Amino acid sequence: MSEQRYQHGLDKLMEYTLTDNKDISTHLKISEALQDIAPDVAKYIIEFAYGDIYFRSGLSNERRALVTISSLVTQGTEPQLELHINTGLTAGLTPKEIVESIIQLIPYTGFPRVLNALNVAKKVFAQRDVQ
Amino acid sequence: MSEQRYQHGLDKLMEYTLTDNKDISTHLKISEALQDIAPDVAKYIIEFAYGDIYFRSGLSNERRALVTISSLVTQGTEPQLELHINTGLTAGLTPKEIVESIIQLIPYTGFPRVLNALNVAKKVFAQRDVQ
Amino acid sequence: MSEQRYQHGLDKLMEYTLTDNKDISTHLKISEALQDIAPDVAKYIIEFAYGDIYFRSGLSNERRALVTISSLVTQGTEPQLELHINTGLTAGLTPKEIVESIIQLIPYTGFPRVLNALNVAKKVFAQRDVQ
Amino acid sequence: MSEQRYQHGLDKLMEYTLTDNKDISTHLKISEALQDIAPDVAKYIIEFAYGDIYFRSGLSNERRALVTISSLVTQGTEPQLELHINTGLTAGLTPKEIVESIIQLIPYTGFPRVLNALNVAKKVFAQRDVQ
Amino acid sequence: MSEQRYQHGLDKLMEYTLTDNKDISTHLKISEALQDIAPDVAKYIIEFAYGDIYFRSGLSNERRALVTISSLVTQGTEPQLELHINTGLTAGLTPKEIVESIIQLIPYTGFPRVLNALNVAKKVFAQRDVQ
Amino acid sequence: MSEQRYQHGLDKLMEYTLTDNKDISTHLKISEALQDIAPDVAKYIIEFAYGDIYFRSGLSNERRALVTISSLVTQGTEPQLELHINTGLTAGLTPKEIVESIIQLIPYTGFPRVLNALNVAKKVFAQRDVQ
């Protein structure tokens, strides 16, 4: 049922964001920002992205975050990269593992995307006061 | 020293490819194919990609493969994706984990790149007779 | 409920593909091909892509096909472009409108993506014997 | 003749921008900004993009705008997306149709490009005081 | 006048392709292939791409070919890359310069696009019997 | 030896940046910014990008800059484009040649990437007080 998917998605989202840190409400802020012109998109993110995809078994939260971060570095979509470096940290990736993953992409995306991604990571680490 | 980097890279490459399976010599075949027009590129792959980047500590072989696969799915460069699904399997990723990782990218790349990647994975699994 | 989304998606998919032409079973073939390694992906395509997104009101089938084709030309993902030029024709776009849409993208993607897309369109038009 | 193409392009551009709204002079501002280093580019936009491509028959202004917006969402080039959401509105697309078109792209580009595009749309709708 | 642009474009195109080698008629073949569904596109290539853009002063034929090849390697559009490695050779680039240019892109696009481009170059060099 | 690669890279980097202009220290600033979270990346840029790739013979500094700029325009990675328009000027490209190269890309990337790149070029030319 749709309510179940929504609840699954919300629970899963909470696993990635429910911390005493700065990223708790970022996803919700995105939802609110689009509430007036595209209210269904927030629902699709929770039901489909988190309820259907993230909720799947077979891959740990850490690995899902790692896969997501790698795609966002490659696409160069920096606002989402910032969000998912945050969820990656909450899911248990260490700052060092995130940095290593971005560096691992040098042979595959070249230096520019990697340098821009490292600057995003540096900013997130400073906001969360981790390193 | 450069010899050391080359040796580090070659050792690391062997970790990802030295199996009794079909992918052992793919990297070497690429090198041979470009031996006449661009002999240094094979050297850069071993020295820089494997000797400098893959050789780093801080991320397991499995995770490096996962990060690489995620980038290649996002770029849609299928010949390299085929190669690195092979190295991912050799590094210890299970077919299920590789499939889950590709599915995890649906919310980030859309369905087309994911469908094309799953077809590449299916082909590699059949060649290696795993699932 | 999930069954309802699936049914909505399947109905919507039929609108785009149920013709006496060659593309009827392409989507189903994709599903079958991935049945063994990623059975859920076919379900997501029907439930999410067709049941949630295509099923929405506010945009005609023709326009949804037009938007989709434009994105696929821009990404250069040709297997999916072939499929959606087919669904576009079934949804009521004329061959001329599809060609004009691809030509409209020259200032935005450059000539290479457009030339490759026109070759795909030409092949589909020949298969369906339309022009 | 070239003068004719230029006039055709300018007339066509006016159809997309001549309103009592805020976007009237955006294209001209771009031209002025590049007048010193690349004066011909403004000419190519008017002669080629608008005079040759947009001026073609076979596709309505609305559909051309829709195709263009879909490509720009997919590329993630936000300054141009802002401009063409404006021209889309002037060409007759409703805010709802533009939002629906961007949502239609979730299965093809993933959520990140779509979220960034919806934020651009929200900003344009606010500037033009439409919804 | 338009006739002048077409003639300029055709003359310029001939400079890039009129040799005793294999690539002479490739551009014309592309035009013929699209003659039935999109006859204007061949005209736009000659009038706009060659007549307006390539015809400009300020950059030598060799450099224009170099810039074009670099973009096509980055986009991964291989059919066009094959064509423009041919025009690059005709414009006076040596095989070694083309190979060096592709290698120069490793830090900017990563290895996959470069490896695929080198394979295209190798094929073209063999067809033209140069190295 | 690694020290030799580093020195080669640093010497080569100096050729591209050692002027009485504003870009001298940009590369070094990038290195410093990442010194705390990813100190090795600065080393890879100097050793691999400049020491291995830029240091190669077979292509002039000007041409390497041209190839690099063309790739960055195509990728739309503007921070790096700004840097390499600077290194291109230092390597001997004239502002006019850089503008012409960006214009040459219109048929290959479309107008949006070109317009954004020309704005970056305009900013760099103003900073260096050249035209």
Side-chain angles (χ1 to χ4, degrees):
Chain A
M1 291 195 303
S2 209
E3 295 76 32
Q4 199 181 359
R5 289 172 70 234
Y6 190 87
Q7 195 55 52
H8 283 169
L10 206 59
D11 292 350
K12 185 51 78 174
L13 179 57
M14 286 300 150
E15 290 176 31
Y16 282 89
T17 55
L18 201 59
T19 71
D20 54 355
N21 284 303
K22 308 287 189 317
D23 70 315
I24 297 179
S25 55
T26 313
H27 273 90
L28 301 183
K29 264 187 236 151
I30 291 174
S31 306
E32 281 164 30
L34 297 176
Q35 202 59 41
D36 46 354
I37 67 162
D40 293 342
V41 172
K43 191 170 63 94
Y44 296 144
I45 291 175
I46 292 174
E47 283 183 5
F48 178 68
Y50 286 90
D52 284 346
I53 305 296
Y54 277 84
F55 189 73
R56 296 172 62 86
S57 61
L59 209 63
S60 68
N61 283 4
E62 274 174 87
R63 289 206 171 187
R64 289 199 188 276
L66 204 61
V67 166
T68 302
I69 288 168
S70 307
S71 178
L72 296 173
V73 173
T74 309
Q75 292 188 57
T77 47
E78 296 180 15
Q80 281 72 33
L81 183 59
E82 182 180 336
L83 178 64
H84 286 281
I85 289 175
N86 266 301
T87 58
L89 288 168
T90 305
L93 292 172
T94 65
K96 186 173 170 47
E97 285 170 327
I98 289 171
V99 166
E100 279 306 316
S101 300
I102 299 172
I103 291 174
Q104 169 68 16
L105 290 174
I106 297 174
Y108 299 102
T109 68
F111 286 94
R113 295 266 187 241
V114 164
L115 290 169
N116 294 340
L118 287 170
N119 281 324
V120 174
K122 180 174 175 160
K123 181 181 152 196
V124 173
F125 297 165
Q127 284 169 343
R128 292 178 71 134
D129 200 17
V130 296
Q131 185 157 11
Chain B
M1 292 194 302
S2 208
E3 294 79 32
Q4 199 181 359
R5 288 172 70 233
Y6 190 88
Q7 195 55 49
H8 283 168
L10 206 59
D11 291 350
K12 184 53 75 174
L13 179 57
M14 286 301 150
E15 290 177 30
Y16 281 89
T17 55
L18 200 60
T19 71
D20 54 355
N21 283 302
K22 308 286 188 320
D23 69 314
I24 297 179
S25 54
T26 313
H27 273 91
L28 301 182
K29 264 189 234 149
I30 291 174
S31 305
E32 279 165 30
L34 296 176
Q35 202 57 43
D36 45 355
I37 68 162
D40 293 341
V41 172
K43 190 170 62 94
Y44 295 143
I45 292 175
I46 293 175
E47 283 184 4
F48 178 68
Y50 286 89
D52 284 344
I53 305 295
Y54 278 83
F55 189 73
R56 295 172 64 87
S57 61
L59 207 64
S60 68
N61 282 4
E62 273 174 89
R63 290 207 168 184
R64 289 196 188 280
L66 204 61
V67 166
T68 303
I69 288 168
S70 306
S71 178
L72 296 172
V73 173
T74 308
Q75 293 188 56
T77 46
E78 295 180 16
Q80 281 73 34
L81 182 59
E82 181 179 337
L83 178 64
H84 286 281
I85 289 175
N86 266 303
T87 58
L89 289 168
T90 306
L93 293 171
T94 65
K96 187 172 169 47
E97 285 170 327
I98 290 171
V99 166
E100 279 305 316
S101 300
I102 298 173
I103 291 175
Q104 169 67 16
L105 290 174
I106 297 174
Y108 300 101
T109 68
F111 285 94
R113 295 264 187 242
V114 163
L115 289 169
N116 294 340
L118 287 170
N119 281 324
V120 173
K122 182 177 173 156
K123 182 180 152 197
V124 172
F125 297 165
Q127 284 168 345
R128 292 177 73 133
D129 200 18
V130 295
Q131 185 157 8
Chain C
M1 291 195 304
S2 208
E3 294 77 31
Q4 198 182 358
R5 289 172 69 235
Y6 190 88
Q7 194 55 50
H8 282 169
L10 206 59
D11 291 351
K12 186 51 80 174
L13 178 57
M14 285 301 149
E15 289 177 32
Y16 281 90
T17 55
L18 200 60
T19 71
D20 54 355
N21 284 304
K22 309 288 190 317
D23 70 314
I24 297 178
S25 54
T26 313
H27 273 91
L28 301 183
K29 264 188 235 149
I30 291 174
S31 305
E32 281 164 30
L34 297 176
Q35 202 57 44
D36 45 355
I37 66 161
D40 293 341
V41 172
K43 191 170 63 94
Y44 296 143
I45 292 175
I46 292 175
E47 283 184 4
F48 178 67
Y50 285 90
D52 284 345
I53 305 295
Y54 277 84
F55 190 73
R56 295 172 62 86
S57 62
L59 208 64
S60 68
N61 283 3
E62 273 174 88
R63 290 206 171 186
R64 289 198 189 277
L66 205 60
V67 166
T68 303
I69 289 169
S70 307
S71 178
L72 296 172
V73 173
T74 309
Q75 293 188 57
T77 47
E78 296 179 15
Q80 282 72 33
L81 183 59
E82 182 178 338
L83 178 64
H84 286 281
I85 289 175
N86 267 302
T87 60
L89 289 168
T90 306
L93 293 172
T94 65
K96 187 174 169 47
E97 286 170 328
I98 290 171
V99 166
E100 279 305 317
S101 300
I102 298 173
I103 291 175
Q104 169 68 16
L105 290 173
I106 298 174
Y108 301 100
T109 67
F111 285 94
R113 295 263 186 244
V114 164
L115 289 168
N116 294 340
L118 287 170
N119 281 325
V120 174
K122 181 177 173 155
K123 180 180 153 197
V124 173
F125 297 165
Q127 283 169 344
R128 292 177 72 133
D129 200 16
V130 297
Q131 186 155 9
Chain D
M1 291 196 302
S2 207
E3 294 77 31
Q4 199 181 358
R5 290 172 70 234
Y6 190 88
Q7 195 55 49
H8 283 169
L10 206 59
D11 293 349
K12 186 51 79 175
L13 178 58
M14 286 300 149
E15 291 176 31
Y16 281 90
T17 55
L18 201 59
T19 73
D20 53 356
N21 285 304
K22 308 287 189 319
D23 70 314
I24 298 179
S25 54
T26 313
H27 273 90
L28 301 183
K29 264 188 235 149
I30 291 173
S31 305
E32 281 163 30
L34 297 176
Q35 203 56 44
D36 46 354
I37 67 162
D40 292 342
V41 172
K43 191 170 62 94
Y44 295 143
I45 291 175
I46 292 174
E47 284 183 5
F48 178 68
Y50 286 89
D52 284 345
I53 305 296
Y54 278 83
F55 190 74
R56 295 171 63 87
S57 61
L59 209 63
S60 68
N61 283 3
E62 273 174 89
R63 289 207 171 186
R64 289 198 188 278
L66 206 61
V67 166
T68 303
I69 288 168
S70 307
S71 177
L72 296 173
V73 173
T74 309
Q75 292 188 55
T77 47
E78 297 180 15
Q80 282 72 34
L81 183 59
E82 181 179 337
L83 179 64
H84 286 281
I85 289 175
N86 266 303
T87 59
L89 289 168
T90 305
L93 293 171
T94 65
K96 187 173 169 46
E97 286 170 328
I98 289 172
V99 166
E100 279 305 315
S101 300
I102 298 172
I103 291 174
Q104 169 68 15
L105 290 173
I106 297 174
Y108 301 101
T109 68
F111 285 94
R113 296 264 187 242
V114 164
L115 290 169
N116 294 339
L118 287 171
N119 281 324
V120 173
K122 181 175 173 157
K123 181 180 153 198
V124 173
F125 297 166
Q127 283 169 344
R128 292 177 72 134
D129 199 17
V130 296
Q131 185 156 13
Chain E
M1 291 194 303
S2 207
E3 295 77 31
Q4 200 181 357
R5 289 172 70 236
Y6 190 88
Q7 196 53 51
H8 283 169
L10 206 58
D11 292 350
K12 184 52 75 174
L13 179 56
M14 286 300 149
E15 290 176 31
Y16 281 90
T17 55
L18 201 59
T19 71
D20 54 354
N21 284 304
K22 307 289 189 317
D23 70 314
I24 297 179
S25 55
T26 312
H27 273 91
L28 301 183
K29 265 188 235 151
I30 291 174
S31 306
E32 280 164 30
L34 297 175
Q35 202 58 44
D36 44 356
I37 67 161
D40 293 342
V41 172
K43 190 171 65 93
Y44 296 143
I45 291 175
I46 292 175
E47 283 183 6
F48 178 67
Y50 286 89
D52 284 345
I53 305 295
Y54 277 85
F55 189 73
R56 296 172 62 87
S57 61
L59 207 65
S60 68
N61 283 3
E62 274 174 270
R63 289 205 170 186
R64 289 198 187 277
L66 205 61
V67 166
T68 303
I69 288 168
S70 308
S71 178
L72 297 172
V73 173
T74 309
Q75 292 188 57
T77 47
E78 295 179 16
Q80 282 72 34
L81 183 59
E82 181 178 337
L83 178 64
H84 286 282
I85 289 175
N86 266 302
T87 59
L89 289 168
T90 306
L93 293 170
T94 65
K96 185 172 172 46
E97 285 170 329
I98 289 171
V99 166
E100 280 304 318
S101 300
I102 298 172
I103 291 175
Q104 168 68 17
L105 291 174
I106 297 174
Y108 301 101
T109 68
F111 284 94
R113 296 264 186 244
V114 163
L115 290 168
N116 294 340
L118 287 170
N119 281 325
V120 173
K122 180 175 175 160
K123 180 180 152 198
V124 173
F125 297 165
Q127 283 169 344
R128 292 177 72 134
D129 200 17
V130 296
Q131 185 157 11
Chain F
M1 291 195 304
S2 209
E3 294 78 31
Q4 198 180 1
R5 289 172 71 235
Y6 191 88
Q7 195 54 50
H8 282 169
L10 206 59
D11 292 350
K12 187 49 79 173
L13 178 57
M14 286 300 149
E15 289 177 30
Y16 281 90
T17 56
L18 200 59
T19 71
D20 53 357
N21 285 303
K22 308 288 186 320
D23 69 315
I24 296 179
S25 54
T26 312
H27 272 91
L28 301 183
K29 266 189 233 148
I30 291 174
S31 306
E32 280 164 29
L34 297 176
Q35 202 57 43
D36 45 356
I37 66 161
D40 293 341
V41 172
K43 190 170 63 97
Y44 296 143
I45 292 175
I46 292 175
E47 283 183 5
F48 178 68
Y50 285 90
D52 284 345
I53 304 296
Y54 277 84
F55 189 73
R56 294 172 63 86
S57 61
L59 209 63
S60 68
N61 283 4
E62 274 174 271
R63 290 205 169 186
R64 290 198 186 276
L66 205 61
V67 166
T68 303
I69 288 168
S70 307
S71 177
L72 296 173
V73 173
T74 308
Q75 293 188 55
T77 47
E78 296 179 16
Q80 282 72 34
L81 183 59
E82 182 179 336
L83 178 64
H84 286 281
I85 289 175
N86 266 302
T87 57
L89 289 168
T90 305
L93 293 171
T94 65
K96 187 172 170 45
E97 285 170 328
I98 289 171
V99 166
E100 279 306 315
S101 300
I102 298 172
I103 292 175
Q104 169 67 17
L105 290 173
I106 297 174
Y108 300 101
T109 68
F111 285 94
R113 296 263 187 242
V114 163
L115 289 169
N116 294 340
L118 286 170
N119 281 323
V120 174
K122 182 176 173 157
K123 181 180 152 197
V124 173
F125 297 165
Q127 283 168 344
R128 292 177 71 135
D129 200 17
V130 295
Q131 186 156 8

